[in-house]
Amino acid sequence: MFNRRSLSIMKRELREKVLSRGFLLMTLLIPLIFVGLIFFQMYLLNYDSNSTASLKIISESDQITNSVRNEFNKLPIVETKSYVITYSTMTKSDFQSQLPGFQKDLLNDKLTGLIYIPLTADSNKLVDYYSKNPNNNSLFNKIKSPINKALINIHFAGKDISDKEISYASENVDFNGYRVSTGKNIKAEGEGNQILSFVFSFLLYLSLILSGTMIMRSVIQEKNNKIVEVLLSSVNSKELMTGKIIGAGLTSIAQMTIWLIPLMLVISTSWFVLPQDLIMDITLFQVFYVLLNFFIGLITFLGLFATVGSIFDNDQDAQSSIWPLMMLLIIPFYIAISMQNNPEGMIGIVASMFPFASIIVMPARMALVDIPGWQFFTAVIVNIATMLLIFPLAGKIYRVGILMSGKKPSWAEVLRWFRYKY
Amino acid sequence: MYALEVRNLTKTFGSIKAVDNVSFSIPEGAVFGLIGRNGAGKTTTIRMMMNIYLPDSGEVFLQGSKIGQEFKDMVGYLPEERGLYKKMKVLETLLFFAELKGKKGRAVEKKANEYLERFQLADRKNAKVEDLSKGNQQKVQFITTILHDPEFIILDEPFSGLDPINTNILKEIILELKKQGKVIIFSTHLMDFAEKMCDHITMIDKGKLILNGPLAEIKSKYSQRNVSINYKGNISFLDSNPIIEKIEDYGNSTGIKVKEPEHVQQLLKLLVDNNINVTKFNANEISLQEIFVELAGDGLENNSGMEVKYV
């Protein structure tokens, strides 16, 4: 199947792709865009924490009012005046009767929110919040703790409990994550591996979509420009398809390797020192595994994209019919991203060995948990089996498709091609 | 032995029989014309000869043995629908297509440059194909067809889109190739072109072979019953004569077709006996066009069961 002629085709594909400006740009830009995105997200988070609010806190007793004011005044956001808070005390019935008076301020954003702390909060910790946006979690996260502390202080006041113990009681629980795995010491886990899991999902997904679309376009172009008949007078369709797919596959694997080089250097050298929080627990073997599994899956995907390209003779028709193939990429991508919460869930485990899905999901999962050897192995075997199963069918459609022109064929017609003797 | 033999090729697409039991042979050194109107099945036949399509049945033999991949290396094929990689440079394109045929290295590059020189494209060898004019792209395509020095050259409507000067260069090269003993196969719907260039003809219509053989033999056979006359007088008495098959008035001259070749002399006698003043009597003239119309003309529409004629 792969011979002198496929080699010539492959070399041409490589020359055209790897030496193109687009390839260089993509290869360099993607990591930059990626870093840019991370900074953008950090900026957004930061921006959010700097947001301002003006709050009115009304309590049912002066004791609560004072205690709450005390706690809020300790907060940096209050000190910097990004949160402006006014306090007052009134009974429940007074508050109810004055509530309509606040409506205008709340609606025209003079007031972000109105908090009412009744006496009963001392026993049930229930506080009322009135606002245009009563589900403002980012605001709740900031004001929860001081109100909680204020209530605790009141609750335990005069109960012969030391400040130290009250302070202990008012602290929330914090988790220190440790990665437990076979054959290694138990290590503290930072955010590094979660980022890595995301990086893997994103890069693999992106690369598959880019190279898939590219080979599809290239097949359509050959069909459209009528080069295909000239080519077929020298090579057969299998040699052509093989050469094109291997050429595109090597291009993508080269690109992926370039993208992963920084990671490999981080793992294998001490040139870079990452902050404790970002240390990544991954081995070189795993990186090579990602590349191998990616290559096998990539070849299958390229085969499918090339086949879709061969069916149509213009980009628009192809684009509108490619969605089933896109689903095979998008669904695994979402699984990989959402799996971060629980990488040992059933969906995560199955998807990491499932045909097509494993290419993206396995690396993403691998970054999060230790994968048993048999699962690594199964994913590769399943991918190879899928490839062997798909290629004879894809090759058949390709062979018929590349010489078809004219009106857009229906799927039923494409199925009929299987019966053609070509 | 024949250079190439096509035996009983048949190809069906869905319910359409594109090629129906077609057989013909191409002698060594022939300039062979595969003719027929558009959609007759020429391209499908060529694609089967090139192993691009698998025939439903039938086989193609190269010097007595069944063709395989090695045949593709021996062929230069210029399809009717041409195509090149638009972003590739001219010389790069030429070398790529030669490489596909297994030819690479200095010698090929030298030859490529020679051909470029000859077609006045030498200064464009590093230009991108898309920057060339249509005619120049055609020339590049033609060079890709012959650069690897093929034994068989299949040209599908090779002159379409070329100006007279380049048509001449192309003809020159084709004649050179013929002198070198290459087999040249033309596929065309232009009859007078085929008549000028080809020494062997195969005519296909609606997927069926309707004529096959050396051009000279075909012409002499069909001309035997055709007479072209110029005259003064009234020849309407011929209408009812049993030796006459058809009379067609072309204005300047009149074409008369008799039923058997030996009727030609009787016709002349009849005209003289009836005091017709015959100024010209030509008993050996028929164009390929006329043969084609006769075989594949309207008559065929009504009589699709018409027998295949071999010469």
Side-chain angles (χ1 to χ4, degrees):
Chain A
M1 209 159 68
F2 192 80
N3 53 24
R4 158 175 78 73
R5 284 175 286 270
S6 314
L7 186 73
S8 304
I9 300 269
M10 186 199 89
K11 281 197 313 207
R12 202 203 72 84
E13 293 288 321
L14 281 177
R15 257 201 308 273
E16 185 185 80
K17 298 222 169 72
V18 178
L19 297 182
S20 73
R21 230 172 297 152
F23 176 82
L24 277 175
L25 263 171
M26 267 297 175
T27 309
L28 295 176
L29 273 185
I30 294 285
L32 287 180
I33 290 173
F34 207 74
V35 171
L37 273 179
I38 290 174
F39 275 107
F40 184 62
Q41 199 190 1
M42 280 163 79
Y43 169 77
L44 281 184
L45 286 176
N46 211 25
Y47 178 81
D48 188 52
S49 72
N50 281 335
S51 64
T52 58
S54 70
L55 295 172
K56 188 165 190 64
I57 299 177
I58 300 172
S59 317
E60 210 174 343
S61 75
D62 283 335
Q63 191 193 15
I64 298 176
T65 306
N66 291 333
S67 181
V68 169
R69 182 189 288 137
N70 231 348
E71 288 301 326
F72 270 103
N73 283 344
K74 290 181 197 161
L75 286 186
I77 48 167
V78 175
E79 277 172 21
T80 59
K81 298 232 171 12
S82 52
Y83 270 52
V84 178
I85 304 172
T86 56
Y87 308 89
S88 60
T89 310
M90 53 180 91
T91 63
K92 198 155 194 167
S93 55
D94 281 351
F95 175 70
Q96 289 296 348
S97 62
Q98 290 196 25
L99 188 55
F102 294 117
Q103 192 177 14
K104 205 178 143 209
D105 284 351
L106 284 168
L107 286 178
N108 66 17
D109 284 327
K110 232 181 202 168
L111 211 52
T112 315
L114 176 63
I115 296 158
Y116 185 72
I117 308 175
L119 280 174
T120 50
D122 185 33
S123 55
N124 62 14
K125 284 197 179 174
L126 270 177
V127 171
D128 300 332
Y129 181 69
Y130 298 83
S131 170
K132 261 194 340 192
N133 170 19
N135 296 310
N136 191 340
N137 278 319
S138 113
L139 182 132
F140 289 162
N141 284 335
K142 283 173 195 126
I143 63 171
K144 232 181 210 170
S145 175
I147 295 177
N148 187 35
K149 277 188 187 164
L151 288 173
I152 286 171
N153 285 336
I154 294 167
H155 191 76
F156 290 105
K159 283 195 180 146
D160 195 22
I161 295 169
S162 73
D163 286 353
K164 204 176 142 197
E165 285 186 51
I166 290 173
S167 143
Y168 168 77
S170 59
E171 280 304 327
N172 217 332
V173 173
D174 216 0
F175 285 100
N176 272 328
Y178 288 89
R179 164 80 71 103
V180 181
S181 53
T182 49
K184 275 181 274 175
N185 298 327
I186 292 174
K187 287 188 233 163
E189 175 98 338
E191 307 243 286
N193 277 57
Q194 285 198 12
I195 294 177
L196 189 63
S197 169
F198 179 70
V199 168
F200 274 153
S201 320
F202 183 79
L203 287 184
L204 292 167
Y205 170 74
L206 194 74
S207 179
L208 286 169
I209 293 241
L210 286 179
S211 56
T213 324
M214 215 189 284
I215 197 168
M216 185 179 85
R217 287 245 171 83
S218 152
V219 172
I220 292 174
Q221 185 213 357
E222 277 170 5
K223 225 182 128 168
N224 225 344
N225 288 354
K226 314 286 178 195
I227 309 164
V228 72
E229 192 162 359
V230 186
L231 289 173
L232 288 178
S233 73
S234 302
V235 303
N236 65 40
S237 70
K238 250 187 222 161
E239 291 163 342
L240 177 61
M241 195 181 183
T242 311
K244 285 189 78 70
I245 287 172
I246 303 228
L250 287 178
T251 311
S252 291
I253 208 86
Q255 196 168 46
M256 187 58 70
T257 310
I258 293 171
W259 287 341
L260 293 184
I261 280 175
L263 179 67
M264 292 192 245
L265 292 179
V266 168
I267 299 167
S268 58
T269 68
S270 49
W271 299 350
F272 306 97
V273 180
L274 289 177
Q276 188 66 37
D277 238 18
L278 292 178
I279 281 186
M280 295 170 185
D281 181 28
I282 187 155
T283 60
L284 266 188
F285 163 77
Q286 286 174 313
V287 177
F288 286 125
Y289 176 83
V290 171
L291 288 174
L292 171 77
N293 198 36
F294 171 62
F295 189 67
I296 300 167
L298 177 71
I299 296 293
T300 314
F301 267 111
L302 288 174
L304 289 173
F305 273 97
T307 304
V308 173
S310 76
I311 296 172
F312 305 99
D313 51 15
N314 63 72
D315 280 351
Q316 285 85 349
D317 283 349
Q319 291 294 355
S320 66
S321 304
I322 195 103
W323 60 269
L325 213 49
M326 286 297 186
M327 283 295 133
L328 288 181
L329 288 169
I330 292 170
I331 293 170
F333 180 65
Y334 277 104
I335 293 177
I337 296 296
S338 52
M339 195 184 56
Q340 296 231 349
N341 290 329
N342 180 14
E344 289 291 55
M346 198 58 194
I347 292 179
I349 292 176
V350 172
S352 67
M353 290 178 283
F354 201 75
F356 304 110
S358 77
I359 305 153
I360 296 175
V361 179
M362 181 60 101
R365 200 173 143 236
M366 189 175 80
L368 298 172
V369 286
D370 256 35
I371 310 275
W374 69 269
Q375 292 189 4
F376 276 136
F377 190 67
T378 309
V380 170
I381 294 295
V382 167
N383 269 340
I384 293 178
T386 311
M387 179 169 77
L388 294 179
L389 204 74
I390 276 181
F391 263 86
L393 302 175
K396 178 97 192 179
I397 296 181
Y398 183 82
R399 185 174 164 92
V400 180
I402 43 175
L403 286 169
M404 286 278 169
S405 56
K407 90 177 184 20
K408 179 180 163 185
S410 68
W411 289 112
E413 276 170 279
V414 174
L415 286 180
R416 227 170 298 141
W417 291 357
F418 284 116
R419 291 208 301 270
Y420 278 22
K421 192 180 173 194
Y422 252 67
Chain B
M1 193 190 289
Y2 289 110
L4 210 56
E5 245 183 296
V6 167
R7 288 190 205 153
N8 309 100
L9 282 187
T10 298
K11 180 82 194 162
T12 320
F13 297 107
S15 59
I16 302 158
K17 236 178 188 172
V19 174
D20 189 0
N21 198 27
V22 165
S23 304
F24 56 85
S25 313
I26 304 173
E28 296 281 0
V31 176
F32 184 90
L34 182 60
I35 58 180
R37 54 182 139 194
N38 296 326
K42 300 186 299 279
T43 303
T44 308
T45 305
I46 289 175
R47 283 181 176 175
M48 284 190 283
M49 287 163 68
M50 295 291 307
N51 219 357
I52 293 174
Y53 284 159
L54 284 180
D56 294 345
S57 62
E59 285 163 319
V60 181
F61 292 89
L62 168 70
Q63 278 140 359
S65 51
K66 248 190 112 174
I67 59 154
Q69 178 64 45
E70 76 286 351
F71 179 59
K72 288 192 178 179
D73 287 345
M74 300 167 65
V75 179
Y77 176 37
L78 179 74
E80 183 178 7
E81 307 222 57
R82 277 134 223 195
L84 296 167
Y85 289 105
K86 297 205 178 327
K87 302 271 174 209
M88 258 174 122
K89 291 176 181 162
V90 170
L91 186 62
E92 220 176 38
T93 303
L94 296 179
L95 297 180
F96 167 66
F97 282 106
E99 190 183 327
L100 284 185
K101 301 285 192 183
K103 292 274 169 76
K104 52 183 179 179
R106 279 276 168 80
V108 181
E109 195 169 341
K110 188 166 161 262
K111 215 165 159 195
N113 281 315
E114 279 168 21
Y115 276 122
L116 287 173
E117 198 79 49
R118 216 162 151 187
F119 278 104
Q120 287 147 5
L121 281 171
D123 54 329
R124 307 302 310 271
K125 70 177 178 186
N126 287 319
K128 280 187 182 167
V129 169
E130 62 184 350
D131 295 332
L132 298 185
S133 69
K134 254 219 143 113
N136 280 344
Q137 290 187 19
Q138 284 256 55
K139 292 192 261 177
V140 173
Q141 185 108 45
F142 182 73
I143 302 175
T144 66
T145 311
I146 55 170
L147 181 58
H148 59 286
D149 196 22
E151 293 304 310
F152 296 83
I153 297 148
I154 304 181
L155 307 168
D156 205 343
E157 308 288 0
F159 300 108
S160 65
L162 278 186
D163 61 45
I165 294 170
N166 286 309
T167 303
N168 275 340
I169 301 178
L170 204 71
K171 273 186 187 158
E172 243 173 62
I173 295 178
I174 291 171
L175 287 176
E176 260 170 49
L177 294 167
K178 178 185 156 71
K179 274 187 202 138
Q180 290 167 24
K182 317 275 184 193
V183 175
I184 296 158
I185 301 165
F186 283 112
S187 161
T188 182
H189 67 277
L190 302 173
M191 301 298 155
D192 49 312
F193 164 75
E195 194 167 352
K196 280 180 201 145
M197 297 286 290
C198 302
D199 46 36
H200 281 72
I201 296 285
T202 282
M203 202 183 275
I204 295 181
D205 197 61
K206 293 180 183 152
K208 289 197 164 98
L209 186 92
I210 55 171
L211 186 68
N212 180 27
L215 181 65
E217 276 178 36
I218 292 174
K219 285 187 74 166
S220 79
K221 163 154 189 190
Y222 280 85
S223 66
Q224 282 167 10
R225 299 194 295 137
N226 268 48
V227 179
S228 160
I229 59 168
N230 288 10
Y231 66 93
K232 285 190 186 107
N234 185 355
I235 58 162
S236 56
F237 62 90
L238 286 177
D239 291 348
S240 54
N241 196 294
I243 65 164
I244 305 294
E245 188 173 310
K246 203 163 61 180
I247 299 176
E248 254 174 282
D249 190 355
Y250 298 117
N252 242 349
S253 66
T254 301
I256 298 177
K257 187 168 190 190
V258 294
K259 285 194 175 141
E260 298 297 333
E262 52 274 20
H263 291 153
V264 172
Q265 294 307 314
Q266 292 180 36
L267 173 66
L268 182 59
K269 188 166 183 296
L270 264 173
L271 290 167
V272 174
D273 290 352
N274 284 278
N275 292 324
I276 301 295
N277 184 4
V278 178
T279 52
K280 187 180 146 209
F281 187 95
N282 195 333
N284 272 314
E285 207 174 78
I286 187 166
S287 66
L288 200 53
Q289 174 84 29
E290 283 170 277
I291 301 176
F292 179 73
V293 171
E294 185 185 327
L295 292 178
D298 297 337
L300 196 66
E301 312 270 343
N302 309 326
N303 183 15
S304 52
M306 180 175 169
E307 243 181 280
V308 173
K309 299 191 177 182
Y310 292 91
V311 173

